[in-house]
Amino acid sequence: MEKRLNKIEEEALREIEAAKSGEELEAIRTRYMGRKGYFTEFLKSMKDLPQDQRPVLGAKANALKAKLTKLFESKIKTFGKKEGILESSVDITMPGAEDMRLGHKHPITKIISRINEIFIGLGFKIAEGPEIETEYYNFEALNIPLEHPSRDVFDTFYIKRPMLLRSQTSTVQIRVMENEKPPLQVIAPGKVYRPDAVDASHSFMFHQVEGFMVDKEIKFSDLKGTLSLFARQMFGEDAKIRFRPHFFPFTEPSAEVDVSCIMCGGKGCRVCSYKGWLEILGAGMINPKVFEAVGYNPEKWTGYAFGMGVERIAMLKYGINDIRLFFENDLRFLRQF
Ligand code: PHE
């Protein structure tokens, strides 16, 4: 038995020494160490030995196994990287077992990007403001004084007064105007918060894109032209808009703006409650009081502002009937965009 072991050692060393490629070496390894290899066979045949000889020979066999394993390992390295990878028996060109899907943007992010793109094309630049705001930026500077009844309609999450979660992106109008001089053309996308009960059309958090322009002699027709161009780029060439008189403290005059129903083209259907129109934003000419709050001369400067609901636009564009779908993180929904 011992002789046989010596012979295996001798021949294995010689063959390993002579191996010229990783493949050849692998074949040798299988021949000796594989499941039916010489070495394995030898170990199996040890059971026929008398009890007292087994430990000695067993120890020798184990030492040889360790020696050969080391030899195979160091020899494989001499064949360079390519052979080494082959030998590791991992085929890195095989597709993975996991279904690896590429991630993509959330539908809300996509709509915001599209809105940004359209306004950047018109010369607007992007600004952002904090989501945790003060009463001053969310209300006072926007001509909504403390006791003003309109403050009720902007239901608000207060943190600890005067800190609050902003209920509108109009705050960014003030922050930008405080820091920069006109002329200005700015859009400000971001999250806003309102303590609304969650249902198919309400969420306590949603997104708005604020937009405003300040220059000399800005007219209502500039606002109209800009928004109708936006509607056509967003919803298609046939999209029309209409202005309905409304009230906002920070614009005067103010309007709510509707887009012709993208489902029925204005004929009337369930989506638009047979009105033919869908509300998408609030807008108006910047109130001189706002200019005063930021130190602009209202005699000199004019401007318009608008604020649109991003979820609303996404729902119209994609035909989605429940706002909650955007925030539930259901991949079956999100993967469709
Ligand atoms: N901030 C208003 C809102 O959240 C929208 C708006 C913005 C209206 C700018 C007019 C001008 O409802």
Side-chain angles (χ1 to χ4, degrees):
M1 282 295 274
E2 191 161 353
K3 265 196 197 147
R4 235 175 95 199
L5 193 61
N6 289 340
K7 193 151 187 268
I8 290 176
E9 174 167 12
E10 212 175 280
E11 279 175 9
L13 292 183
R14 194 166 43 75
E15 286 191 46
I16 294 172
E17 176 67 37
K20 282 188 199 62
S21 72
E23 275 164 69
E24 210 178 298
L25 191 68
E26 177 60 17
I28 298 166
R29 201 179 63 82
T30 319
R31 207 156 352 105
Y32 283 88
M33 319 275 277
R35 221 153 35 89
K36 290 193 178 138
Y38 304 144
F39 195 76
T40 319
E41 291 298 323
F42 175 82
L43 288 178
K44 276 187 199 152
S45 66
M46 271 181 53
K47 67 177 187 313
D48 303 328
L49 280 179
Q51 275 279 24
D52 58 337
Q53 290 185 29
R54 276 188 220 167
V56 189
L57 209 58
K60 273 201 177 157
N62 278 333
L64 179 58
K65 189 177 179 190
K67 181 175 171 183
L68 290 182
T69 306
K70 262 207 181 129
L71 265 176
F72 279 117
E73 276 169 9
S74 58
K75 179 81 179 184
I76 199 69
K77 291 200 184 111
T78 66
F79 294 122
K81 215 172 178 184
K82 201 174 138 240
E83 301 284 3
I85 287 169
L86 241 180
E87 289 311 312
S88 74
S89 80
V90 174
D91 180 354
I92 57 161
T93 63
M94 290 247 292
E98 290 274 323
D99 175 9
M100 299 246 244
R101 285 180 202 236
L102 268 190
H104 63 76
K105 287 183 181 157
H106 189 279
I108 293 300
T109 309
K110 279 191 163 172
I111 294 288
I112 291 176
S113 302
R114 180 71 191 121
I115 296 170
N116 288 347
E117 206 174 75
I118 294 171
F119 284 103
I120 285 169
L122 292 170
F124 285 71
K125 65 170 198 172
I126 298 177
E128 282 183 313
E131 289 169 27
I132 296 177
E133 265 294 5
T134 62
E135 290 182 282
Y136 178 76
Y137 287 101
N138 205 72
F139 297 123
E140 264 104 283
L142 288 162
N143 190 36
I144 317 177
L146 199 55
E147 297 314 322
H148 198 288
S150 72
R151 200 127 149 184
D152 297 342
V153 303
F154 296 92
D155 262 3
T156 307
F157 279 119
Y158 283 94
I159 299 168
K160 191 174 177 218
R161 292 180 80 162
M163 306 306 287
L164 48 77
L165 293 179
R166 70 178 176 193
S167 60
Q168 49 181 349
T169 44
S170 301
T171 53
V172 187
Q173 287 185 41
I174 306 300
R175 289 194 171 269
V176 171
M177 286 194 256
E178 272 182 350
N179 287 313
E180 289 175 48
K181 292 202 165 13
L184 287 173
Q185 257 183 296
V186 175
I187 50 165
K191 293 186 175 74
V192 299
Y193 302 82
R194 293 181 192 178
D196 283 331
V198 175
D199 62 24
S201 52
H202 293 87
S203 168
F204 54 85
M205 183 282 295
F206 57 98
H207 297 76
Q208 289 187 329
V209 176
E210 191 82 6
F212 62 98
M213 179 169 188
V214 182
D215 206 335
K216 288 172 187 151
E217 290 175 47
I218 298 292
K219 296 183 284 297
F220 202 91
S221 52
D222 295 315
L223 173 63
K224 259 187 135 165
T226 304
L227 290 180
S228 62
L229 192 125
F230 165 75
R232 288 202 303 276
Q233 297 216 354
M234 193 73 203
F235 297 110
E237 274 310 307
D238 294 332
K240 291 184 179 47
I241 53 168
R242 75 170 181 188
F243 286 68
R244 278 179 293 106
H246 196 72
F247 172 77
F248 293 106
F250 32 91
T251 47
E252 183 60 36
S254 303
E256 277 187 332
V257 180
D258 302 334
V259 61
S260 50
C261 178
I262 56 161
M263 300 295 169
C264 64
K267 284 193 213 80
C269 68
R270 269 183 37 217
V271 172
C272 60
S273 313
Y274 300 95
K275 290 191 201 116
W277 297 92
L278 295 154
E279 187 202 322
I280 55 164
L281 56 89
M285 302 308 288
I286 296 175
N287 193 317
K289 292 254 176 64
V290 172
F291 286 143
E292 278 168 21
V294 296
Y296 286 5
N297 179 356
E299 299 294 324
K300 188 171 167 194
W301 301 109
T302 50
Y304 64 70
F306 55 84
M308 55 183 84
V310 178
E311 280 75 4
R312 190 77 213 256
I313 291 173
M315 288 166 83
L316 294 177
K317 200 161 163 65
Y318 295 131
I320 295 162
N321 59 11
D322 195 323
I323 195 172
R324 290 169 288 199
L325 286 165
F326 291 123
F327 308 121
E328 283 169 348
N329 252 354
D330 185 336
L331 292 181
R332 291 169 303 178
F333 170 75
L334 294 174
R335 279 187 179 138
Q336 296 175 59
F337 299 94

